PDB file of all heavy atoms in Angstrom:
ATOM      1  N   LEU A  22      47.497 127.195  76.986  1.00  0.00           N
ATOM      2  CA  LEU A  22      48.959 127.348  76.973  1.00  0.00           C
ATOM      3  C   LEU A  22      49.471 128.130  78.185  1.00  0.00           C
ATOM      4  O   LEU A  22      50.601 127.925  78.632  1.00  0.00           O
ATOM      5  CB  LEU A  22      49.405 128.042  75.688  1.00  0.00           C
ATOM      6  CG  LEU A  22      49.170 127.276  74.372  1.00  0.00           C
ATOM      7  CD1 LEU A  22      49.470 128.168  73.178  1.00  0.00           C
ATOM      8  CD2 LEU A  22      50.043 126.031  74.329  1.00  0.00           C
ATOM      9  N   LYS A  58      69.726 161.938  85.134  1.00  0.00           N
ATOM     10  CA  LYS A  58      69.584 160.695  85.897  1.00  0.00           C
ATOM     11  C   LYS A  58      68.179 160.651  86.492  1.00  0.00           C
ATOM     12  O   LYS A  58      67.713 161.642  87.058  1.00  0.00           O
ATOM     13  CB  LYS A  58      70.637 160.614  86.995  1.00  0.00           C
ATOM     14  CG  LYS A  58      72.055 160.449  86.429  1.00  0.00           C
ATOM     15  CD  LYS A  58      73.084 160.259  87.526  1.00  0.00           C
ATOM     16  CE  LYS A  58      74.468 160.039  86.913  1.00  0.00           C
ATOM     17  NZ  LYS A  58      75.515 159.857  87.930  1.00  0.00           N
ATOM     18  N   GLU A  63      59.757 158.151  88.522  1.00  0.00           N
ATOM     19  CA  GLU A  63      59.876 159.616  88.394  1.00  0.00           C
ATOM     20  C   GLU A  63      59.160 160.101  87.134  1.00  0.00           C
ATOM     21  O   GLU A  63      59.239 159.468  86.077  1.00  0.00           O
ATOM     22  CB  GLU A  63      61.362 159.988  88.334  1.00  0.00           C
ATOM     23  CG  GLU A  63      61.625 161.479  88.301  1.00  0.00           C
ATOM     24  CD  GLU A  63      63.128 161.785  88.375  1.00  0.00           C
ATOM     25  OE1 GLU A  63      63.883 160.953  88.923  1.00  0.00           O
ATOM     26  OE2 GLU A  63      63.519 162.844  87.862  1.00  0.00           O
ATOM     27  N   SER A  88      64.945 160.287  70.993  1.00  0.00           N
ATOM     28  CA  SER A  88      65.045 160.126  69.544  1.00  0.00           C
ATOM     29  C   SER A  88      63.860 159.314  69.016  1.00  0.00           C
ATOM     30  O   SER A  88      63.061 158.776  69.784  1.00  0.00           O
ATOM     31  CB  SER A  88      66.366 159.424  69.212  1.00  0.00           C
ATOM     32  OG  SER A  88      66.513 159.286  67.825  1.00  0.00           O
ATOM     33  N   SER A  89      63.776 159.202  67.713  1.00  0.00           N
ATOM     34  CA  SER A  89      62.701 158.424  67.100  1.00  0.00           C
ATOM     35  C   SER A  89      62.999 156.933  67.202  1.00  0.00           C
ATOM     36  O   SER A  89      64.151 156.509  67.119  1.00  0.00           O
ATOM     37  CB  SER A  89      62.546 158.816  65.632  1.00  0.00           C
ATOM     38  OG  SER A  89      62.195 160.175  65.522  1.00  0.00           O
ATOM     39  N   ALA A 124      35.912 161.916  95.408  1.00  0.00           N
ATOM     40  CA  ALA A 124      35.838 161.641  93.964  1.00  0.00           C
ATOM     41  C   ALA A 124      36.888 162.452  93.202  1.00  0.00           C
ATOM     42  O   ALA A 124      37.559 161.933  92.293  1.00  0.00           O
ATOM     43  CB  ALA A 124      34.441 161.958  93.443  1.00  0.00           C
ATOM     44  N   LYS A 132      44.994 160.800  87.088  1.00  0.00           N
ATOM     45  CA  LYS A 132      45.624 161.688  86.102  1.00  0.00           C
ATOM     46  C   LYS A 132      47.123 161.811  86.368  1.00  0.00           C
ATOM     47  O   LYS A 132      47.948 161.670  85.454  1.00  0.00           O
ATOM     48  CB  LYS A 132      44.952 163.062  86.175  1.00  0.00           C
ATOM     49  CG  LYS A 132      45.475 164.090  85.211  1.00  0.00           C
ATOM     50  CD  LYS A 132      44.693 165.384  85.404  1.00  0.00           C
ATOM     51  CE  LYS A 132      45.213 166.482  84.485  1.00  0.00           C
ATOM     52  NZ  LYS A 132      44.483 167.752  84.707  1.00  0.00           N
ATOM     53  N   ASP A 133      47.490 162.042  87.621  1.00  0.00           N
ATOM     54  CA  ASP A 133      48.908 162.199  87.973  1.00  0.00           C
ATOM     55  C   ASP A 133      49.707 160.925  87.687  1.00  0.00           C
ATOM     56  O   ASP A 133      50.880 160.986  87.305  1.00  0.00           O
ATOM     57  CB  ASP A 133      49.047 162.574  89.461  1.00  0.00           C
ATOM     58  CG  ASP A 133      48.541 163.974  89.757  1.00  0.00           C
ATOM     59  OD1 ASP A 133      48.337 164.751  88.796  1.00  0.00           O
ATOM     60  OD2 ASP A 133      48.315 164.287  90.941  1.00  0.00           O
ATOM     61  N   GLU A 166      38.017 139.155  78.214  1.00  0.00           N
ATOM     62  CA  GLU A 166      39.268 138.725  77.571  1.00  0.00           C
ATOM     63  C   GLU A 166      38.962 137.690  76.476  1.00  0.00           C
ATOM     64  O   GLU A 166      39.394 136.526  76.534  1.00  0.00           O
ATOM     65  CB  GLU A 166      40.238 138.139  78.597  1.00  0.00           C
ATOM     66  CG  GLU A 166      41.676 138.119  78.081  1.00  0.00           C
ATOM     67  CD  GLU A 166      42.670 137.805  79.180  1.00  0.00           C
ATOM     68  OE1 GLU A 166      42.443 136.874  79.941  1.00  0.00           O
ATOM     69  OE2 GLU A 166      43.687 138.510  79.280  1.00  0.00           O
ATOM     70  N   GLY A 188      39.394 148.470  93.534  1.00  0.00           N
ATOM     71  CA  GLY A 188      39.519 149.398  92.408  1.00  0.00           C
ATOM     72  C   GLY A 188      38.167 149.755  91.824  1.00  0.00           C
ATOM     73  O   GLY A 188      37.904 150.911  91.466  1.00  0.00           O
ATOM     74  N   ILE A 202      29.201 146.089  87.950  1.00  0.00           N
ATOM     75  CA  ILE A 202      29.011 144.765  87.333  1.00  0.00           C
ATOM     76  C   ILE A 202      30.350 144.304  86.777  1.00  0.00           C
ATOM     77  O   ILE A 202      31.084 145.098  86.184  1.00  0.00           O
ATOM     78  CB  ILE A 202      27.980 144.829  86.184  1.00  0.00           C
ATOM     79  CG1 ILE A 202      26.592 145.189  86.722  1.00  0.00           C
ATOM     80  CG2 ILE A 202      27.928 143.495  85.428  1.00  0.00           C
ATOM     81  CD1 ILE A 202      25.553 145.386  85.625  1.00  0.00           C
ATOM     82  N   SER A 227      27.774 142.970  91.211  1.00  0.00           N
ATOM     83  CA  SER A 227      27.355 141.624  90.813  1.00  0.00           C
ATOM     84  C   SER A 227      28.262 141.084  89.700  1.00  0.00           C
ATOM     85  O   SER A 227      28.914 141.844  88.984  1.00  0.00           O
ATOM     86  CB  SER A 227      25.905 141.639  90.334  1.00  0.00           C
ATOM     87  OG  SER A 227      25.741 142.557  89.265  1.00  0.00           O
ATOM     88  N   ILE A 229      28.276 138.840  86.244  1.00  0.00           N
ATOM     89  CA  ILE A 229      27.406 138.308  85.189  1.00  0.00           C
ATOM     90  C   ILE A 229      28.233 137.434  84.249  1.00  0.00           C
ATOM     91  O   ILE A 229      29.060 137.939  83.482  1.00  0.00           O
ATOM     92  CB  ILE A 229      26.707 139.440  84.411  1.00  0.00           C
ATOM     93  CG1 ILE A 229      25.785 140.211  85.347  1.00  0.00           C
ATOM     94  CG2 ILE A 229      25.926 138.861  83.220  1.00  0.00           C
ATOM     95  CD1 ILE A 229      24.895 141.219  84.682  1.00  0.00           C
ATOM     96  N   LYS A 232      28.292 134.411  77.618  1.00  0.00           N
ATOM     97  CA  LYS A 232      28.634 133.362  76.670  1.00  0.00           C
ATOM     98  C   LYS A 232      30.029 133.621  76.106  1.00  0.00           C
ATOM     99  O   LYS A 232      30.367 134.757  75.774  1.00  0.00           O
ATOM    100  CB  LYS A 232      27.614 133.340  75.526  1.00  0.00           C
ATOM    101  CG  LYS A 232      27.773 132.183  74.585  1.00  0.00           C
ATOM    102  CD  LYS A 232      26.615 132.159  73.589  1.00  0.00           C
ATOM    103  CE  LYS A 232      26.752 130.974  72.638  1.00  0.00           C
ATOM    104  NZ  LYS A 232      25.632 130.923  71.691  1.00  0.00           N
ATOM    105  N   ASP A 276      46.409 150.484  92.609  1.00  0.00           N
ATOM    106  CA  ASP A 276      47.824 150.609  92.981  1.00  0.00           C
ATOM    107  C   ASP A 276      48.250 152.083  93.071  1.00  0.00           C
ATOM    108  O   ASP A 276      49.036 152.457  93.950  1.00  0.00           O
ATOM    109  CB  ASP A 276      48.710 149.890  91.954  1.00  0.00           C
ATOM    110  CG  ASP A 276      48.628 148.368  92.081  1.00  0.00           C
ATOM    111  OD1 ASP A 276      48.155 147.883  93.123  1.00  0.00           O
ATOM    112  OD2 ASP A 276      49.042 147.677  91.134  1.00  0.00           O
ATOM    113  N   VAL A 291      52.661 136.009  77.238  1.00  0.00           N
ATOM    114  CA  VAL A 291      53.573 135.628  76.154  1.00  0.00           C
ATOM    115  C   VAL A 291      53.226 134.188  75.794  1.00  0.00           C
ATOM    116  O   VAL A 291      53.420 133.280  76.608  1.00  0.00           O
ATOM    117  CB  VAL A 291      55.052 135.744  76.583  1.00  0.00           C
ATOM    118  CG1 VAL A 291      55.961 135.462  75.389  1.00  0.00           C
ATOM    119  CG2 VAL A 291      55.333 137.122  77.161  1.00  0.00           C
ATOM    120  N   ILE A 336      48.847 143.336  66.150  1.00  0.00           N
ATOM    121  CA  ILE A 336      49.622 143.842  65.011  1.00  0.00           C
ATOM    122  C   ILE A 336      50.895 143.015  64.849  1.00  0.00           C
ATOM    123  O   ILE A 336      51.668 142.843  65.804  1.00  0.00           O
ATOM    124  CB  ILE A 336      49.964 145.324  65.217  1.00  0.00           C
ATOM    125  CG1 ILE A 336      48.652 146.133  65.249  1.00  0.00           C
ATOM    126  CG2 ILE A 336      50.898 145.843  64.124  1.00  0.00           C
ATOM    127  CD1 ILE A 336      48.827 147.583  65.543  1.00  0.00           C
ATOM    128  N   PRO A 379      29.017 142.136  64.487  1.00  0.00           N
ATOM    129  CA  PRO A 379      28.228 142.486  65.669  1.00  0.00           C
ATOM    130  C   PRO A 379      27.582 143.863  65.579  1.00  0.00           C
ATOM    131  O   PRO A 379      26.695 144.182  66.382  1.00  0.00           O
ATOM    132  CB  PRO A 379      29.260 142.432  66.808  1.00  0.00           C
ATOM    133  CG  PRO A 379      30.579 142.606  66.156  1.00  0.00           C
ATOM    134  CD  PRO A 379      30.448 142.041  64.777  1.00  0.00           C
ATOM    135  N   GLN A 392      37.983 149.912  47.906  1.00  0.00           N
ATOM    136  CA  GLN A 392      38.800 149.542  46.746  1.00  0.00           C
ATOM    137  C   GLN A 392      38.585 150.520  45.583  1.00  0.00           C
ATOM    138  O   GLN A 392      39.518 150.824  44.837  1.00  0.00           O
ATOM    139  CB  GLN A 392      38.455 148.110  46.305  1.00  0.00           C
ATOM    140  CG  GLN A 392      38.935 147.052  47.297  1.00  0.00           C
ATOM    141  CD  GLN A 392      38.349 145.685  47.013  1.00  0.00           C
ATOM    142  OE1 GLN A 392      37.392 145.543  46.259  1.00  0.00           O
ATOM    143  NE2 GLN A 392      38.906 144.661  47.642  1.00  0.00           N
ATOM    144  N   GLN A 425      41.073 144.675  56.738  1.00  0.00           N
ATOM    145  CA  GLN A 425      42.200 145.520  56.319  1.00  0.00           C
ATOM    146  C   GLN A 425      41.727 146.585  55.321  1.00  0.00           C
ATOM    147  O   GLN A 425      42.120 147.753  55.415  1.00  0.00           O
ATOM    148  CB  GLN A 425      43.306 144.652  55.694  1.00  0.00           C
ATOM    149  CG  GLN A 425      44.101 143.830  56.689  1.00  0.00           C
ATOM    150  CD  GLN A 425      43.418 142.552  57.140  1.00  0.00           C
ATOM    151  OE1 GLN A 425      42.343 142.193  56.646  1.00  0.00           O
ATOM    152  NE2 GLN A 425      44.029 141.850  58.081  1.00  0.00           N
TER     153      GLN A 425
END
Side-chain angles (χ1 to χ4, degrees):
L22 295 172
K58 292 185 178 180
E63 184 175 334
S88 182
S89 298
K132 181 179 178 182
D133 291 346
E166 199 168 47
I202 295 175
S227 57
I229 296 188
K232 187 173 181 179
D276 287 344
V291 185
I336 296 176
Q392 290 168 345
Q425 286 80 5

